[in-house]
Amino acid sequence: MKPIIIKPCSGLKGIIRIPGDKSISHRAAILSALAKGKTEIKNFLFSDDCLVTLNTLKHLGVRVVTRPRLSEAVIISPGFLKKPSRFLNMGESGTSARMFLGLLAGQDFCSIIGGASSLLHRPMLRVLEPLRLMGACVRARKIKNDEFLPCEIFSNELHGFTWEQKVPSAQVKSAILLAGLFAKGVTSVVEPVRTRDHTERMLKLFGAQISIEHKTLRIRKSVLKSPGEIFVASDISSAAFFIVAALLIKNSKIILKNVSINPTRMGAIRVLKRMGAYIKVSLVKESFEPRADLEVCFSSLKGTIVKAREIPALIDELPILMVAASKAKGKTLFEGVGELRVKETDRIRSMEFNLLKLGVDIRVKSLKESENIEIQGADSFKGACLKSFADHRTAMSMIVAALSADTACSIDDVSCISKSFPQFLTLIKTSCCIS
Ligand code: S3P
């Protein structure tokens, strides 16, 4: 792909409809596949990662009808999964890989899951360890102290147990809960730091026997019942790129419709408000996942400290928050951001590389217990040749930075954006002028 050139923008305007939430779309499809009958998923996200989940379900004997123009996916399921006739390819989707590991561990057939080269480097032991303690029998590729795809999952009886999360991870929690649906007895997950709770909410919607008490989730073997129809709220992580663009670019005023305001995902909004952002949240519907319209206007931002305990609620927004911090008055400190090293790329490295190119004073401090990032805000970004590192969130963060730079910037390859937000360039072009 040829590099794209992004010219500075003089203001973002309009009403913007962000596509459906990636995490909720994955879960809606997977749980619909476990419930007998038909489930219509509205505002489903048709991105590369979510298509991986739909394709995998097809290989597991579930009928999937897609209407991408209407953002609708219909799942018609016999209520159980069938042995796949081939290996299951997770593409680049870490969420699909980890959730299917949990789901497939509890089936009465064997399966093999693999993925594209970027996914083959992402750590899987964090999921395999608790699953094995439940009785799962999985053979994976071992390198040093971790394990990686491809994985061979053998059929074995699972039993409940209690797992206390070491690394806060919604994907690991979800894999355990999905395995728990097929395990004997009670499966519990203790979360010292709360992570996104979409799986729990969706399981309740499908009538699973799940209870949540303080920091402990408990699930029992359950037969799921389809709610018939599910509406997926718009993705707050995708909205965050528009929010920060509007905050940084003078004369901006936008309204984002129907965005998910699940409290476990609102960390970035809380941090931006603390930095002085004008973001007005107007509730649209409570539902099983609350959603709201967000009004955002240009604001002058000031630096802040983002504590490690806040990270899980804004993990995917860290790259774009780093861009916001780079234009804020004073210093911003992000504490305990080490998990960024194991995302689609090492996002500490990709963001440090690009922000330095834009002339930002960014320092990465790798301490024994945690990694911190310190950014001294600057008045302006200088034009630069930027790199996506084949990572969707780095690419979109750099497009936003470029829109608010002094002169044009180039970005080497933005095809990776289709992983989570295929409409991003079109939407940003219509709300703000870029060539
Ligand atoms: C996700 C959980 C997070 C997040 C990822 C999606 C999910 O990953 O970064 O983009 O849908 O559960 P971790 O569970 O690894 O923190």
Side-chain angles (χ1 to χ4, degrees):
M1 190 178 181
K2 271 206 329 216
I4 59 161
I5 308 292
I6 307 285
K7 291 183 184 161
C9 152
S10 52
L12 250 78
K13 293 263 181 287
I15 296 177
I16 301 162
R17 284 172 210 282
I18 301 288
D21 185 272
K22 181 157 85 71
S23 296
I24 303 176
S25 294
H26 281 299
R27 286 148 173 91
I30 291 176
L31 294 198
S32 300
L34 298 178
K36 192 173 174 173
K38 179 166 143 186
T39 311
E40 291 185 355
I41 311 174
K42 313 268 184 200
N43 206 31
F44 184 85
L45 173 65
F46 283 89
S47 74
D48 293 353
D49 273 13
C50 295
L51 290 176
V52 163
T53 287
L54 292 185
N55 273 330
T56 305
L57 293 175
K58 284 185 200 167
H59 289 298
L60 291 166
V62 175
R63 221 181 120 209
V64 178
V65 180
T66 54
R67 300 180 189 128
R69 278 165 181 272
L70 299 173
S71 304
E72 257 179 49
V74 183
I75 311 284
I76 302 143
S77 170
F80 55 87
L81 304 176
K82 293 182 189 154
K83 182 176 167 55
S85 57
R86 44 160 284 175
F87 100 101
L88 300 166
N89 185 352
M90 299 294 138
E92 303 204 354
S93 178
T95 308
S96 310
R98 294 190 177 122
M99 290 184 63
F100 277 108
L101 275 173
L103 182 59
L104 293 170
Q107 305 304 313
D108 57 4
F109 53 76
C110 304
S111 49
I112 299 176
I113 72 173
S117 61
S118 70
L119 187 58
L120 301 185
H121 300 292
R122 298 188 65 186
M124 293 295 153
L125 185 60
R126 51 179 63 194
V127 193
L128 297 177
E129 192 187 348
L131 291 176
R132 284 181 183 137
L133 290 170
M134 296 177 76
C137 190
V138 184
R139 191 158 64 203
R141 201 164 49 95
K142 289 196 179 91
I143 304 175
K144 287 188 187 155
N145 295 327
D146 214 318
E147 297 192 27
F148 302 87
L149 294 185
C151 289
E152 205 170 346
I153 306 160
F154 302 95
S155 159
N156 214 13
E157 276 220 352
L158 302 186
H159 50 81
F161 87 126
T162 299
W163 175 252
E164 179 160 343
Q165 293 247 66
K166 296 177 188 160
V167 183
S169 165
Q171 293 177 356
V172 173
K173 169 177 66 179
S174 303
I176 299 170
L177 292 176
L178 289 173
L181 276 179
F182 298 91
K184 238 193 224 162
V186 182
T187 302
S188 310
V189 182
V190 182
E191 283 201 297
V193 184
R194 201 104 197 269
T195 62
R196 62 188 71 189
D197 63 357
H198 304 303
T199 306
E200 299 89 292
R201 285 172 185 258
M202 192 72 75
L203 280 164
K204 272 191 185 165
L205 185 72
F206 277 80
Q209 295 188 67
I210 180 165
S211 67
I212 304 155
E213 207 180 298
H214 194 45
K215 292 180 174 170
T216 307
L217 309 168
R218 288 187 187 85
I219 191 159
R220 284 176 177 278
K221 207 177 225 180
S222 312
V223 175
L224 301 189
K225 196 171 173 309
S226 168
E229 192 180 300
I230 298 172
F231 182 86
V232 180
S234 294
D235 198 321
I236 186 87
S237 302
S238 298
F241 299 105
F242 284 83
I243 294 172
V244 172
L247 292 172
L248 298 188
I249 301 167
K250 277 193 183 132
N251 305 315
S252 296
K253 182 179 173 178
I254 55 169
I255 294 175
L256 300 158
K257 300 295 284 179
N258 261 318
V259 181
S260 160
I261 53 158
N262 178 316
T264 61
R265 295 280 297 282
M266 288 292 273
I269 305 296
R270 289 191 283 268
V271 166
L272 288 168
K273 283 194 167 183
R274 208 155 77 211
M275 294 172 82
Y278 178 93
I279 305 171
K280 192 173 151 208
V281 180
S282 313
L283 186 74
V284 172
K285 199 160 184 203
E286 211 29 86
S287 187
F288 77 104
E289 286 277 359
R291 51 187 201 262
D293 291 345
L294 309 183
E295 183 187 322
V296 189
C297 298
F298 167 74
S299 310
S300 41
L301 303 180
K302 57 178 193 303
T304 188
I305 297 176
V306 182
K307 294 278 181 198
R309 63 171 184 278
E310 295 183 89
I311 299 297
L314 50 76
I315 183 76
D316 291 341
E317 290 72 76
L318 276 169
I320 192 63
L321 283 176
M322 287 186 217
V323 173
S326 301
K327 279 262 173 122
K329 203 165 187 281
K331 196 163 75 181
T332 298
L333 180 64
F334 296 95
E335 293 180 347
V337 296
E339 269 297 291
L340 287 186
R341 296 261 185 225
V342 291
K343 293 297 175 187
E344 281 80 340
T345 189
D346 174 344
R347 287 187 181 148
I348 295 183
R349 193 174 136 245
S350 68
M351 291 305 293
E352 185 187 27
F353 173 92
N354 285 312
L355 291 175
L356 285 173
K357 289 242 168 184
L358 290 161
V360 176
D361 177 359
I362 168 170
R363 285 156 212 232
V364 178
K365 302 200 170 158
S366 299
L367 309 167
K368 205 170 158 210
E369 285 296 303
S370 81
E371 286 203 88
N372 297 348
I373 295 175
E374 198 178 285
I375 293 176
Q376 185 68 47
D379 287 339
S380 58
F381 291 149
K382 58 181 190 203
C385 297
L386 304 169
K387 279 173 65 174
S388 69
F389 291 78
D391 170 42
H392 56 139
R393 301 207 197 275
T394 301
M396 289 184 275
S397 298
M398 284 309 110
I399 290 174
V400 171
L403 289 170
S404 69
D406 293 350
T407 51
C409 294
S410 70
I411 304 169
D412 64 339
D413 180 0
V414 296
S415 57
C416 50
I417 291 175
S418 57
K419 189 174 203 289
S420 64
F421 197 170
Q423 308 85 330
F424 177 74
L425 277 175
T426 314
L427 276 180
I428 203 115
K429 268 183 192 158
T430 49
S431 45
C432 141
C433 217
I434 62 168
S435 43

